[in-house]
Amino acid sequence: MGIVPLGLVPVVRDATLGVAQAQSCAHASVDVKIPAATPVLSWAENVGFDADGDLWVSRVLGNVIERYSSGPSQQTAGRPTARVHIDSPGAVRLGPGGRMYATSGDTTLNMIPGLPLRGTVVSFDPAAPERVRVEARGLGMPNGLAFDERGTMYVADSNLGVVRVRGDGTIDRAWSARAPRNLAPDATVNGTGMNGMAIVGGDAYVGMTTSASGRILRVSLDDPADVSVAADLTAPWPGVVDDLAILADGRLAAATTTGQMIVVDKNKRRCVVDAGRPLTSLAVTPSGDSLVAGTEDGAVLEFSGRLFGAPA
């Protein structure tokens, strides 16, 4: 979500208050997968896996994305095996052609009115990460990133709103003008700062950095003006929802800066795992039987257990 001091947004720390009527996810556990090298300064803004199962972690304060290899060697356990230098990296995702794509410019400085739109999306080959290619320009504060089944790119931009990027790297302005925009709240879009994004079929699910109810929006890719409420994760309290991930059974998982992972199904039933520290991002592991999470202190956590059964 970029760096937003918690003192500037309304938060409710207690999971029993912040997520009304939600219960603990059954038999879920949380472990530290990668310790924070330097707490806070190694802030893990986002996490994503490449086609080989290696984990990539966006270190937004260090202007770098790091690779942690999936092999069993203890010599590299908890230490990066590659680094890609990218300005204020946000989401990191596997995209078309097996390349890793990342948003760049994920800093609140890019939300200041009147400044040039300097945000970009870049990509790199995981086998040769030193060669970074700019895929799209003209974004504000690009944060979340997802691809549809045809490989079309969508960005949750905390400055501009929900943005579609054509295959040639240009912004589809007609489509984007009809999608939810930042600082244009209404009865459905009850917050600001488009943040996490995930796509299932013909719909994008988008979270907001600040929302009166921790709301997740459902945006139709065919008609971006068709926007509805997918879930209110923290109602009746405000919530700070960050990145999103889709579980193998189709349920939505969300990271919150109040330290919970919230899982919600299509009937809007929720369960919660308390991580004990602010979360930034989530990614399903290649095996599909666990999730990894980035944190504000820089550690990468792993959630495991019965995350794929019905909510408790």
Side-chain angles (χ1 to χ4, degrees):
M1 92 176 165
I3 309 301
V4 179
L6 292 183
L8 300 182
V9 292
V11 299
V12 180
R13 181 64 188 87
D14 191 317
T16 61
L17 295 176
V19 189
Q21 301 176 351
Q23 301 179 19
S24 296
C25 295
H27 305 291
S29 62
V30 187
D31 298 293
V32 176
K33 183 178 180 67
I34 301 171
T38 306
V40 181
L41 292 179
S42 58
W43 180 302
E45 173 65 14
N46 211 270
V47 289
F49 289 93
D50 64 23
D52 291 329
D54 289 342
L55 176 65
W56 295 83
V57 181
S58 293
R59 305 286 186 185
V60 64
L61 294 179
N63 297 308
V64 68
I65 299 179
E66 296 178 332
R67 180 181 68 200
Y68 295 84
S69 297
S70 58
S73 172
Q74 295 302 309
Q75 293 180 344
T76 60
R79 298 200 303 272
T81 55
R83 288 185 172 90
V84 186
H85 293 278
I86 293 172
D87 180 46
S88 300
V92 55
R93 296 288 180 269
L94 177 63
R99 295 179 68 84
M100 295 301 290
Y101 287 71
T103 55
S104 174
D106 185 16
T107 167
T108 51
L109 292 176
N110 285 336
M111 295 186 71
I112 299 175
L115 290 182
L117 297 176
R118 297 175 293 186
T120 64
V121 176
V122 301
S123 75
F124 56 89
D125 181 347
E130 66 278 1
R131 295 194 288 272
V132 177
R133 185 169 76 198
V134 177
E135 301 287 351
R137 302 179 186 274
L139 296 164
M141 182 184 165
N143 197 328
L145 177 66
F147 295 90
D148 67 15
E149 295 172 347
R150 294 169 292 187
T152 302
M153 183 193 309
Y154 296 83
V155 178
D157 189 312
S158 297
N159 183 335
L160 302 179
V162 180
V163 176
R164 180 160 77 177
V165 179
R166 300 186 184 94
D168 63 0
T170 60
I171 295 174
D172 186 338
R173 299 194 182 280
W175 188 97
S176 303
R178 299 172 61 215
R181 293 173 296 161
N182 190 43
L183 298 179
D186 56 30
T188 302
V189 184
N190 69 343
T192 63
M194 304 305 164
N195 196 325
M197 174 182 281
I199 290 176
V200 180
D203 296 313
Y205 294 87
V206 183
M208 294 172 281
T209 300
T210 58
S211 163
S213 57
R215 180 162 293 177
I216 304 298
L217 304 174
R218 182 202 62 83
V219 182
S220 169
L221 300 183
D222 290 333
D223 179 8
D226 178 8
V227 182
S228 60
V229 178
D232 285 321
L233 297 183
T234 62
W237 305 97
V240 188
V241 178
D242 209 316
D243 200 23
L244 310 176
I246 303 297
L247 304 185
D249 61 1
R251 287 191 294 160
L252 180 72
T256 74
T257 62
T258 48
Q260 295 91 34
M261 180 188 70
I262 306 173
V263 179
V264 61
D265 67 12
K266 63 181 180 180
N267 296 315
K268 302 183 181 181
R269 295 179 301 177
R270 296 165 290 172
C271 72
V272 179
V273 182
D274 194 340
R277 65 185 83 189
L279 302 177
T280 61
S281 48
L282 297 169
V284 178
T285 59
S287 63
D289 60 2
S290 62
L291 288 165
V292 296
T295 69
E296 291 185 6
D297 66 19
V300 176
L301 309 181
E302 184 165 14
F303 293 89
S304 57
R306 289 172 51 190
L307 294 175
F308 304 105

